[in-house]
Each structure stands twice: as structure tokens, then as C-alpha cells.
């Protein structure tokens, strides 16, 4: 089923505001973060300034401010070690997001990976992350959606696509899609039909919910697939409250009432062809 076939109305009034909301400047000024000679993110200067003044930066870490921002001086081969030393220092100073023991890729502007870092540090350091979502529809066109668990740190209890998750450092996009689809929805990608890449949405906005001087920069690749009749999602990792199978007009009504996460709203808008 093509996404454009779902579109029955012009783009709704809420969509322009949602797109503007997804591209917002930081709440406070930020300066570039350079690692091994590459610009990879940004920081609020006072965060690292304060840590340096308190002696909270690890001595072996060659981290210093200059006219271009804050710079981690290391050989490219040592970028991962330096990045994670910085992540641990942020954690000890209470300036890190929730610690996940999960490594995410760190890339320069050209898209080449230079290292990896603990997931909890990416927002304070303004590092671009990569996520994947799946829009699942039934053969009759109804759409499977999930309600996020109420203990989730971000957007608890809000509605979301069938699956959404981060692409970790060891994942390809296909591997992340398969893993997250199983963990969140208990479905095997190979059992779904008409799996296709729908496109991507980009976010650049303050990480307000984390209260950690963070900035969210993320690319989300989204896919769509048919969930065959007789097959229903079942959460495996405890991060989903429940699933519902809804007609498209009900999904659109909930979008208009801002019941979906900002990420899901833009993905579903693209799915509907808006």
C-alpha cells in the first residue's frame, strides 16, 4: 500500500507548526565541539568551562577551549577513548543524560564515522544520532500504533508508530529495523509484507525533557510494511503500554489533538502523503 493512497485531505493546519517545532535553535548559545580535528557536535560553553574550573575533566583528556569552540586533541584512532572519557566526566559532574551502556556512532559532517560514544552523552554534546521507525498497516489499511510506556523518560504515554528505536554503533539500518521491530512489537521483519523505505525526517531542537543542557540532532529513517491478518504486535522489552489498530481517520484525529510524539507526527504525515 502506497503512503500517498492514504491521503484524503490537504496537509492539516497542525503540520506547519510541527515542522517548525522540529527545527529550533538551542535555548542557550552553543559552541562547536571538535574531536580529532573534526567538528562533531556542540556544547554550552559554561558546562565545560565550569567542569574545567572545578578540575572535573580527566587529566589525560586533551580538552581545551579555543576560538573555534572546545577541542578534543587526539589521534583519530583514539577518538572513541577520548569521547567516552568525556562522557564519563559529564556523568560524574551531573551533566549527562540517562546512562544506557550503549554506544552510538559519532560522525563528522561528511558522514564518516570517527568513533563512538555512550548514548547518554550525545544530547549534552549535540552529536547527531540516527533512529529508525516502522509504520505498520493491516491489509485493510488500518494502522497499528503503540502507546509508549508511562515510565519512559521521553514522551511517556504518548502515541507512536508501531516501532521506533535508536540505531546503535554496531547496527546497520536493516539490523536496527529488525532488532527494534522484535523488541518493541514482537514481530519479525521477514514475516511482514511489502517492507519499504519511506523516507526520513530530521530534527534539530533543544533536548528540553532531559534537563541536561542538551541539543537533539537526529535523522530518522522510516519504513512501512503490511502486518498480515492474524498477526498482532506484542511488546518484548517493557517499553510499550499497549498497541491499537486504528482506521486512518482516527489516527489523523489523534494527530490533530497532538496525541502523538513529535517524531511520530512527522513520520505519519509523510506516510499520509502530506
Amino acid at each position: 500500500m502506497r503512503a500517498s493512497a492514504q491521503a484524503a485531505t490537504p496537509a492539516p493546519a497542525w503540520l506547519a507548526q510541527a515542522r517548525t517545532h522540529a527545527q529550533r535553535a538551542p535555548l542557550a548559545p552553543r559552541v562547536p565541539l571538535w574531536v580529532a580535528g573534526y567538528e562533531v557536535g556542540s556544547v554550552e560553553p559554561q558546562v565545560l568551562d565550569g567542569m574545567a574550573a572545578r578540575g572535573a575533566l580527566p587529566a589525560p583528556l586533551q580538552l581545551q577551549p579555543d576560538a573555534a569552540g572546545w577541542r578534543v586533541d587526539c589521534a583519530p584512532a583514539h577518538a572513541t577513548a577520548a569521547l567516552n572519557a568525556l562522557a564519563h566526566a559529564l556523568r560524574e559532574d551531573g551533566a549527562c543524560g540517562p546512562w544506557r551502556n550503549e554506544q552510538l556512532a559519532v560522525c563528522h559532517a561528511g558522514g564518516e564515522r570517527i568513533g563512538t560514544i555512550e548514548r547518554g552523552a550525545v544530547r549534552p554534546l549535540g552529536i547527531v544520532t540516527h533512529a529508525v521507525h516502522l509504520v505498520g498497516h493491516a491489509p485493510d489499511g488500518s494502522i497499528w500504533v503503540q502507546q509508549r510506556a508511562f515510565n519512559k523518560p521521553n514522551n511517556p504515554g504518548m502515541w507512536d508508530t508501531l516501532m521506533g528505536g535508536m540505531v546503535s554503533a554496531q547496527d546497520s539500518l536493516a539490523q536496527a529495523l529488525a532488532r527494534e521491530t522484535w523488541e518493541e512489537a514482537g514481530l519479525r521483519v521477514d514475516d511482514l509484507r511489502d517492507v519499504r523505505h519511506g523516507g526520513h525526517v530530521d530534527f534539530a531542537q533543544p533536548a528540553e525533557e532531559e534537563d541536561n543542557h542538551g541539543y537533539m540532532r537526529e535523522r530518522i529513517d522510516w519504513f512501512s510494511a503490511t502486518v498480515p491478518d492474524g498477526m498482532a504486535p506484542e511488546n518484548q522489552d517493557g517499553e510499550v503500554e499497549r498497541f491499537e489498530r486504528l482506521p486512518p481517520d482516527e489516527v489523523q484525529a489523534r494527530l490533530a489533538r497532538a496525541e502523538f510524539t513529535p517524531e511520530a507526527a512527522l513520520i505519519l504525515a509523510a506516510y499520509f502523503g502530506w
Side-chain angles (χ1 to χ4, degrees):
M1 179 176 298
R2 296 182 60 83
S4 59
Q6 292 284 342
T9 60
W14 58 263
L15 183 54
Q17 183 177 355
R19 286 172 174 161
T20 299
H21 189 79
Q23 298 293 325
R24 289 177 290 145
L27 296 177
R30 301 178 71 88
V31 297
L33 174 68
W34 299 77
V35 177
Y38 296 102
E39 184 178 349
V40 299
S42 64
V43 293
E44 291 185 10
Q46 67 271 21
V47 173
L48 296 184
D49 289 348
M51 291 174 65
R54 293 188 298 275
L57 294 175
L61 185 63
Q62 299 300 309
L63 178 65
Q64 56 191 359
D66 63 20
W70 273 87
R71 187 178 299 275
V72 179
D73 288 326
C74 66
H78 299 149
T80 292
L83 284 161
N84 282 284
L86 179 56
H88 280 281
L90 289 167
R91 185 187 190 189
E92 290 295 319
D93 205 57
C96 195
W99 199 265
R100 300 293 192 94
N101 289 314
E102 178 182 358
Q103 293 285 301
L104 300 184
V106 178
C107 301
H108 61 53
E112 181 181 350
R113 180 189 296 200
I114 67 163
T116 69
I117 192 171
E118 155 63 33
R119 177 172 171 175
V122 293
R123 303 306 185 214
L125 299 178
I127 291 170
V128 177
T129 55
H130 197 178
V132 61
H133 275 243
L134 178 64
V135 179
H137 52 256
D140 66 357
S142 57
I143 299 169
W144 282 104
V145 296
Q146 63 155 284
Q147 185 179 33
R148 294 165 65 85
F150 287 96
N151 60 357
K152 293 275 286 186
N154 302 331
N155 301 312
M158 294 192 73
W159 291 95
D160 209 335
T161 59
L162 174 61
M163 177 282 291
M166 198 71 76
V167 179
S168 69
Q170 71 266 25
D171 285 333
S172 67
L173 192 57
Q175 288 170 331
L177 175 67
R179 187 196 68 251
E180 293 290 338
T181 298
W182 171 253
E183 290 181 358
E184 287 206 357
L187 299 172
R188 301 293 186 189
V189 170
D190 288 346
D191 293 332
L192 306 179
R193 298 204 303 265
D194 306 320
V195 179
R196 71 175 187 89
H197 182 250
H200 73 272
V201 296
D202 296 306
F203 280 78
Q205 61 184 30
E208 297 163 326
E209 70 279 0
E210 295 181 356
D211 191 27
N212 62 3
H213 304 285
Y215 194 59
M216 172 190 175
R217 297 167 62 211
E218 187 159 273
R219 172 187 168 121
I220 304 174
D221 279 87
W222 67 272
F223 292 75
S224 68
T226 301
V227 181
D229 285 333
M231 187 180 298
E234 183 176 351
N235 181 242
Q236 306 294 309
D237 61 9
E239 296 190 359
V240 177
E241 182 70 18
R242 60 186 169 130
F243 293 94
E244 287 191 7
R245 178 173 162 176
L246 303 175
D249 58 354
E250 175 59 21
V251 173
Q252 293 176 13
R254 294 188 187 190
L255 285 166
R257 296 195 297 266
E259 295 181 12
F260 280 86
T261 69
E263 295 85 355
L266 291 190
I267 290 164
L268 287 165
Y271 173 79
F272 285 125
W274 293 329

